[in-house]
Structure formats: structure tokens, C-alpha cells
CSV table of all heavy atoms in Angstrom, one decimal:
chain,number,residue,atom,x,y,z
E,1,MET,N,-0.2,1.3,-13.7
E,1,MET,CA,-1.5,0.9,-13.2
E,1,MET,C,-2.5,2.0,-13.5
E,1,MET,O,-3.7,1.9,-13.1
E,1,MET,CB,-1.4,0.7,-11.7
E,1,MET,CG,-0.7,-0.6,-11.3
E,1,MET,SD,-1.5,-2.1,-11.8
E,1,MET,CE,-2.9,-2.1,-10.8
E,2,GLY,N,-2.1,3.0,-14.2
E,2,GLY,CA,-3.0,4.1,-14.5
E,2,GLY,C,-4.2,3.8,-15.4
E,2,GLY,O,-5.2,4.5,-15.4
E,3,ILE,N,-4.2,2.6,-16.0
E,3,ILE,CA,-5.3,2.2,-16.8
E,3,ILE,C,-6.5,2.0,-15.8
E,3,ILE,O,-7.7,1.9,-16.3
E,3,ILE,CB,-5.0,0.9,-17.5
E,3,ILE,CG1,-4.6,-0.3,-16.6
E,3,ILE,CG2,-4.0,1.1,-18.6
E,3,ILE,CD1,-4.5,-1.6,-17.3
E,4,PHE,N,-6.3,1.8,-14.6
E,4,PHE,CA,-7.4,1.6,-13.6
E,4,PHE,C,-7.8,2.9,-12.9
E,4,PHE,O,-8.6,2.9,-12.0
E,4,PHE,CB,-7.0,0.6,-12.5
E,4,PHE,CG,-6.8,-0.8,-13.0
E,4,PHE,CD1,-5.5,-1.4,-13.1
E,4,PHE,CD2,-7.8,-1.5,-13.5
E,4,PHE,CE1,-5.3,-2.7,-13.6
E,4,PHE,CE2,-7.7,-2.8,-14.0
E,4,PHE,CZ,-6.4,-3.4,-14.0
E,5,GLY,N,-7.2,4.0,-13.4
E,5,GLY,CA,-7.6,5.3,-12.9
E,5,GLY,C,-6.4,6.1,-12.3
E,5,GLY,O,-5.4,5.5,-11.9
E,6,ASP,N,-6.5,7.4,-12.3
E,6,ASP,CA,-5.5,8.3,-11.8
E,6,ASP,C,-5.1,8.0,-10.3
E,6,ASP,O,-4.0,8.3,-9.9
E,6,ASP,CB,-5.9,9.8,-11.9
E,6,ASP,CG,-6.0,10.2,-13.4
E,6,ASP,OD1,-5.4,9.5,-14.3
E,6,ASP,OD2,-6.7,11.2,-13.7
E,7,HIS,N,-6.0,7.5,-9.6
E,7,HIS,CA,-5.7,7.2,-8.1
E,7,HIS,C,-4.7,6.2,-8.0
E,7,HIS,O,-4.1,6.0,-6.9
E,7,HIS,CB,-7.0,6.9,-7.4
E,7,HIS,CG,-7.7,5.6,-7.9
E,7,HIS,ND1,-8.2,5.6,-9.2
E,7,HIS,CD2,-8.0,4.4,-7.3
E,7,HIS,CE1,-8.8,4.4,-9.4
E,7,HIS,NE2,-8.6,3.7,-8.3
E,8,TRP,N,-4.3,5.4,-9.0
E,8,TRP,CA,-3.3,4.4,-9.0
E,8,TRP,C,-1.9,5.0,-9.1
E,8,TRP,O,-0.9,4.3,-9.0
E,8,TRP,CB,-3.5,3.3,-10.0
E,8,TRP,CG,-4.5,2.3,-9.6
E,8,TRP,CD1,-5.8,2.2,-9.9
E,8,TRP,CD2,-4.2,1.1,-8.9
E,8,TRP,NE1,-6.4,1.1,-9.3
E,8,TRP,CE2,-5.4,0.4,-8.7
E,8,TRP,CE3,-3.0,0.5,-8.3
E,8,TRP,CZ2,-5.5,-0.8,-8.0
E,8,TRP,CZ3,-3.1,-0.7,-7.7
E,8,TRP,CH2,-4.3,-1.4,-7.5
E,9,LYS,N,-1.8,6.3,-9.5
E,9,LYS,CA,-0.5,6.9,-9.7
E,9,LYS,C,0.3,6.8,-8.4
E,9,LYS,O,-0.2,7.2,-7.3
E,9,LYS,CB,-0.7,8.4,-10.1
E,9,LYS,CG,0.7,9.1,-10.3
E,9,LYS,CD,0.4,10.5,-10.8
E,9,LYS,CE,1.7,11.3,-10.9
E,9,LYS,NZ,2.7,10.6,-11.8
E,10,ASP,N,1.5,6.3,-8.5
E,10,ASP,CA,2.4,6.2,-7.3
E,10,ASP,C,1.7,5.4,-6.2
E,10,ASP,O,1.9,5.7,-5.0
E,10,ASP,CB,2.8,7.6,-6.8
E,10,ASP,CG,3.6,8.4,-7.8
E,10,ASP,OD1,4.4,7.7,-8.6
E,10,ASP,OD2,3.5,9.6,-7.9
E,11,HIS,N,1.0,4.4,-6.5
E,11,HIS,CA,0.2,3.6,-5.5
E,11,HIS,C,1.1,2.9,-4.6
E,11,HIS,O,0.8,2.7,-3.4
E,11,HIS,CB,-0.7,2.6,-6.2
E,11,HIS,CG,0.0,1.4,-6.7
E,11,HIS,ND1,0.8,1.4,-7.8
E,11,HIS,CD2,0.0,0.1,-6.2
E,11,HIS,CE1,1.3,0.2,-8.0
E,11,HIS,NE2,0.8,-0.6,-7.1
E,12,ASP,N,2.3,2.5,-5.0
E,12,ASP,CA,3.3,1.8,-4.1
E,12,ASP,C,3.7,2.8,-3.0
E,12,ASP,O,3.9,2.3,-1.8
E,12,ASP,CB,4.5,1.3,-4.9
E,12,ASP,CG,5.1,2.3,-5.7
E,12,ASP,OD1,4.6,3.3,-6.0
E,12,ASP,OD2,6.3,2.0,-6.2
E,13,GLU,N,3.9,4.0,-3.3
E,13,GLU,CA,4.3,5.0,-2.3
E,13,GLU,C,3.2,5.2,-1.3
E,13,GLU,O,3.4,5.4,-0.1
E,13,GLU,CB,4.7,6.3,-2.9
E,13,GLU,CG,5.9,6.2,-3.8
E,13,GLU,CD,6.3,7.5,-4.5
E,13,GLU,OE1,5.8,8.6,-4.0
E,13,GLU,OE2,7.1,7.5,-5.4
E,14,LYS,N,1.9,5.2,-1.8
E,14,LYS,CA,0.8,5.4,-0.9
E,14,LYS,C,0.7,4.2,0.1
E,14,LYS,O,0.4,4.4,1.3
E,14,LYS,CB,-0.5,5.5,-1.7
E,14,LYS,CG,-0.6,6.7,-2.6
E,14,LYS,CD,-1.9,6.7,-3.5
E,14,LYS,CE,-2.0,7.8,-4.4
E,14,LYS,NZ,-3.2,7.7,-5.3
E,15,ILE,N,0.9,3.0,-0.5
E,15,ILE,CA,0.8,1.8,0.4
E,15,ILE,C,1.9,1.9,1.4
E,15,ILE,O,1.7,1.6,2.6
E,15,ILE,CB,1.0,0.6,-0.5
E,15,ILE,CG1,-0.3,0.4,-1.4
E,15,ILE,CG2,1.2,-0.7,0.4
E,15,ILE,CD1,-0.2,-0.7,-2.4
E,16,TYR,N,3.1,2.3,1.0
E,16,TYR,CA,4.3,2.3,2.0
E,16,TYR,C,4.0,3.3,3.1
E,16,TYR,O,4.2,3.0,4.3
E,16,TYR,CB,5.5,2.8,1.2
E,16,TYR,CG,6.7,3.0,2.1
E,16,TYR,CD1,7.5,1.9,2.5
E,16,TYR,CD2,7.1,4.2,2.5
E,16,TYR,CE1,8.5,2.0,3.4
E,16,TYR,CE2,8.2,4.4,3.4
E,16,TYR,CZ,8.9,3.3,3.8
E,16,TYR,OH,10.0,3.5,4.6
E,17,ARG,N,3.5,4.5,2.8
E,17,ARG,CA,3.2,5.5,3.8
E,17,ARG,C,2.2,5.0,4.8
E,17,ARG,O,2.3,5.2,6.0
E,17,ARG,CB,2.8,6.8,3.1
E,17,ARG,CG,3.9,7.6,2.4
E,17,ARG,CD,3.6,9.0,2.1
E,17,ARG,NE,2.4,9.1,1.3
E,17,ARG,CZ,2.4,9.2,-0.1
E,17,ARG,NH1,3.6,9.2,-0.7
E,17,ARG,NH2,1.3,9.3,-0.8
E,18,ALA,N,1.1,4.5,4.2
E,18,ALA,CA,0.0,4.0,5.1
E,18,ALA,C,0.4,2.9,6.0
E,18,ALA,O,0.1,2.8,7.2
E,18,ALA,CB,-1.2,3.6,4.3
E,19,TRP,N,1.2,1.9,5.4
E,19,TRP,CA,1.7,0.8,6.1
E,19,TRP,C,2.6,1.2,7.3
E,19,TRP,O,2.4,0.8,8.4
E,19,TRP,CB,2.5,-0.1,5.1
E,19,TRP,CG,2.9,-1.5,5.7
E,19,TRP,CD1,3.6,-1.8,6.8
E,19,TRP,CD2,2.6,-2.7,5.0
E,19,TRP,NE1,3.7,-3.1,6.9
E,19,TRP,CE2,3.2,-3.7,5.8
E,19,TRP,CE3,1.9,-3.1,3.8
E,19,TRP,CZ2,3.1,-5.1,5.5
E,19,TRP,CZ3,1.9,-4.4,3.5
E,19,TRP,CH2,2.4,-5.4,4.3
E,20,MET,N,3.5,2.2,7.0
E,20,MET,CA,4.4,2.6,8.0
E,20,MET,C,3.7,3.3,9.2
E,20,MET,O,4.1,3.3,10.3
E,20,MET,CB,5.5,3.5,7.4
E,20,MET,CG,6.4,2.8,6.4
E,20,MET,SD,7.3,1.5,7.1
E,20,MET,CE,8.4,2.3,8.2
E,21,GLU,N,2.6,4.0,8.8
E,21,GLU,CA,1.8,4.7,9.9
E,21,GLU,C,1.0,3.8,10.7
E,21,GLU,O,0.8,4.0,11.9
E,21,GLU,CB,0.8,5.7,9.2
E,21,GLU,CG,1.5,6.9,8.6
E,21,GLU,CD,0.5,7.8,7.8
E,21,GLU,OE1,-0.7,7.4,7.8
E,21,GLU,OE2,1.0,8.7,7.2
E,22,LYS,N,0.6,2.6,10.2
E,22,LYS,CA,-0.4,1.8,10.9
E,22,LYS,C,0.3,0.5,11.5
E,22,LYS,O,-0.1,0.1,12.7
E,22,LYS,CB,-1.5,1.3,9.9
E,22,LYS,CG,-2.4,2.4,9.5
E,22,LYS,CD,-3.5,1.8,8.6
E,22,LYS,CE,-4.6,2.8,8.3
E,22,LYS,NZ,-5.7,2.2,7.4
E,23,VAL,N,1.1,-0.2,10.8
E,23,VAL,CA,1.5,-1.5,11.2
E,23,VAL,C,2.8,-1.5,12.1
E,23,VAL,O,3.7,-0.8,11.8
E,23,VAL,CB,1.8,-2.3,9.9
E,23,VAL,CG1,2.3,-3.8,10.3
E,23,VAL,CG2,0.6,-2.4,9.0
E,24,LYS,N,2.7,-2.3,13.1
E,24,LYS,CA,3.8,-2.4,14.1
E,24,LYS,C,4.5,-3.7,13.9
E,24,LYS,O,4.0,-4.6,13.2
E,24,LYS,CB,3.3,-2.3,15.5
E,24,LYS,CG,2.5,-1.0,15.8
E,24,LYS,CD,3.3,0.3,15.5
E,24,LYS,CE,2.4,1.5,15.8
E,24,LYS,NZ,3.1,2.7,15.4
E,25,GLU,N,5.7,-3.9,14.4
E,25,GLU,CA,6.5,-5.0,14.2
E,25,GLU,C,5.9,-6.3,14.6
E,25,GLU,O,6.1,-7.4,14.0
E,25,GLU,CB,7.9,-4.9,14.9
E,25,GLU,CG,8.9,-4.0,14.2
E,25,GLU,CD,9.3,-4.5,12.8
E,25,GLU,OE1,9.1,-5.7,12.5
E,25,GLU,OE2,9.7,-3.6,12.0
E,26,ASP,N,5.1,-6.3,15.7
E,26,ASP,CA,4.4,-7.5,16.2
E,26,ASP,C,3.1,-7.8,15.6
E,26,ASP,O,2.3,-8.6,16.0
E,26,ASP,CB,4.4,-7.5,17.7
E,26,ASP,CG,3.6,-6.4,18.3
E,26,ASP,OD1,3.3,-5.4,17.5
E,26,ASP,OD2,3.3,-6.4,19.5
E,27,ASP,N,2.7,-7.0,14.6
E,27,ASP,CA,1.4,-7.2,13.9
E,27,ASP,C,1.5,-8.2,12.8
E,27,ASP,O,2.7,-8.6,12.4
E,27,ASP,CB,0.9,-5.9,13.3
E,27,ASP,CG,0.5,-4.9,14.3
E,27,ASP,OD1,0.3,-5.3,15.5
E,27,ASP,OD2,0.3,-3.7,14.0
E,28,LEU,N,0.4,-8.6,12.2
E,28,LEU,CA,0.3,-9.6,11.1
E,28,LEU,C,-0.4,-8.9,10.0
E,28,LEU,O,-1.5,-8.4,10.2
E,28,LEU,CB,-0.4,-10.9,11.5
E,28,LEU,CG,-0.6,-11.9,10.4
E,28,LEU,CD1,0.7,-12.5,9.9
E,28,LEU,CD2,-1.5,-13.1,11.0
E,29,VAL,N,0.1,-9.0,8.7
E,29,VAL,CA,-0.5,-8.5,7.6
E,29,VAL,C,-0.8,-9.6,6.6
E,29,VAL,O,0.1,-10.4,6.2
E,29,VAL,CB,0.3,-7.4,6.9
E,29,VAL,CG1,-0.4,-6.8,5.7
E,29,VAL,CG2,0.7,-6.3,7.9
E,30,LEU,N,-2.0,-9.7,6.1
E,30,LEU,CA,-2.5,-10.7,5.1
E,30,LEU,C,-2.5,-10.1,3.8
E,30,LEU,O,-3.2,-9.0,3.6
E,30,LEU,CB,-3.8,-11.3,5.5
E,30,LEU,CG,-3.9,-11.8,7.0
E,30,LEU,CD1,-5.3,-12.4,7.2
E,30,LEU,CD2,-2.8,-12.8,7.3
E,31,ILE,N,-1.9,-10.7,2.8
E,31,ILE,CA,-1.9,-10.1,1.4
E,31,ILE,C,-2.4,-11.2,0.5
E,31,ILE,O,-1.7,-12.1,0.0
E,31,ILE,CB,-0.5,-9.7,1.0
E,31,ILE,CG1,0.1,-8.8,2.0
E,31,ILE,CG2,-0.5,-9.0,-0.4
E,31,ILE,CD1,1.5,-8.3,1.7
E,32,PRO,N,-3.7,-11.2,0.1
E,32,PRO,CA,-4.3,-12.2,-0.7
E,32,PRO,C,-4.2,-12.0,-2.2
E,32,PRO,O,-5.2,-11.8,-2.9
E,32,PRO,CB,-5.8,-12.2,-0.3
E,32,PRO,CG,-6.0,-10.7,0.0
E,32,PRO,CD,-4.7,-10.2,0.6
E,33,GLY,N,-3.0,-12.1,-2.7
E,33,GLY,CA,-2.8,-12.1,-4.1
E,33,GLY,C,-2.5,-10.9,-4.9
E,33,GLY,O,-2.8,-9.8,-4.4
E,34,ASP,N,-2.0,-11.1,-6.1
E,34,ASP,CA,-1.6,-10.0,-7.0
E,34,ASP,C,-0.6,-9.1,-6.3
E,34,ASP,O,-0.8,-7.9,-6.1
E,34,ASP,CB,-2.8,-9.2,-7.6
E,34,ASP,CG,-3.5,-10.0,-8.7
E,34,ASP,OD1,-3.1,-11.1,-9.0
E,34,ASP,OD2,-4.4,-9.4,-9.4
């Protein structure tokens, strides 16, 4: 995903860390595509 900028490097790990910090088991997460 680096074609979109250096900030995309290891973006899946960034998402995982943020998700684990914020989202609880009884929450709902909406993922609108891609």
C-alpha cells in the first residue's frame, strides 16, 4: 500500500493496535468496503 504514502507502511498492524485499544466485545464496528 506504499503507493499511497509511507504512512501506509504496516497499516494492518496500526489498525490492529488501535482496534484492540478502543473496541470492546459488546461494541459494533462498521466496515464499508475495500
